[in-house]
Amino acid sequence: AIPQADANGKIADGWLSDTIYAIVRPNLSSQIPAQTWTKINFDTLISGTNFDTNNYRFVVPVDGLYVVMATIYMVDSESSATNVYKGIAIYINEKQTFHLAYKREDAAKSTSLIIHAILPLKANDTISIYGYCDVSIFIPNSISWFQVFRLR
């Protein structure tokens, strides 16, 4: 059901109660080693269900069309390298499926990368977010987010 806002623009609490969704963030900061696609440690469930915080992935409970969104904040590397590649990707069943967000910039520059996709998924598929950088880079806790919800 589409949520309805009251006269003040507030959406009633619990409107997602019959929707499959998860909103997670990393509790601990992590490091992405140089030139290695690395799973982002989303280990804190903020709201929703079906998120495996031990393996940092959403487990699809039923077939459907899902929206996958992530914002990853990458903090300065100690490298002085210029024109380095920074990227994030959606992995389905631990295989890189969508590589939708990347930048080339100086390693020492902090940046946010945002990825969105609408995906047809099957029950028991898993969704993870991976990060990459040409040089080692830091992902601080609580600034990055990963969200999944079922459209139909």
Side-chain angles (χ1 to χ4, degrees):
I2 297 174
Q4 300 297 316
D6 65 18
N8 297 318
K10 182 176 178 350
I11 295 177
D13 291 336
W15 72 272
L16 284 173
S17 63
D18 62 346
T19 302
I20 296 166
Y21 75 102
I23 302 170
V24 293
R25 68 171 178 79
N27 184 45
L28 300 173
S29 300
S30 58
Q31 194 82 15
I32 294 179
Q35 300 179 354
T36 304
W37 282 101
T38 303
K39 189 187 292 190
I40 307 296
N41 298 340
F42 288 102
D43 58 357
T44 303
L45 181 66
I46 302 301
S47 185
T49 59
N50 301 95
F51 199 88
D52 177 354
T53 55
N54 293 320
N55 294 300
Y56 319 123
R57 63 188 186 185
F58 180 79
V59 180
V60 175
V62 296
D63 293 4
L65 192 61
Y66 288 79
V67 175
V68 178
M69 301 174 284
T71 299
I72 307 300
Y73 185 68
M74 297 180 174
V75 177
D76 344 27
S77 163
E78 294 179 12
S79 171
S80 60
T82 59
N83 198 34
V84 300
Y85 176 82
K86 299 174 183 178
I88 59 175
I90 296 171
Y91 278 51
I92 299 175
N93 300 322
E94 302 306 323
K95 295 180 181 139
Q96 186 176 6
T97 307
F98 291 90
H99 179 210
L100 301 173
Y102 69 92
K103 285 185 178 181
R104 281 204 173 274
E105 63 187 5
D106 294 349
K109 184 175 182 178
S110 298
T111 193
S112 289
L113 294 172
I114 301 168
I115 193 167
H116 297 258
I118 298 174
L119 306 171
L121 298 169
K122 300 286 185 194
N124 299 314
D125 281 347
T126 61
I127 303 294
S128 304
I129 304 296
Y130 280 66
Y132 176 92
C133 190
D134 287 338
V135 297
S136 179
I137 201 152
F138 183 66
I139 307 286
N141 66 333
S142 76
I143 298 174
S144 298
W145 296 90
F146 176 19
Q147 303 172 34
V148 179
F149 65 89
R150 184 171 180 248
L151 286 175
R152 57 181 171 93

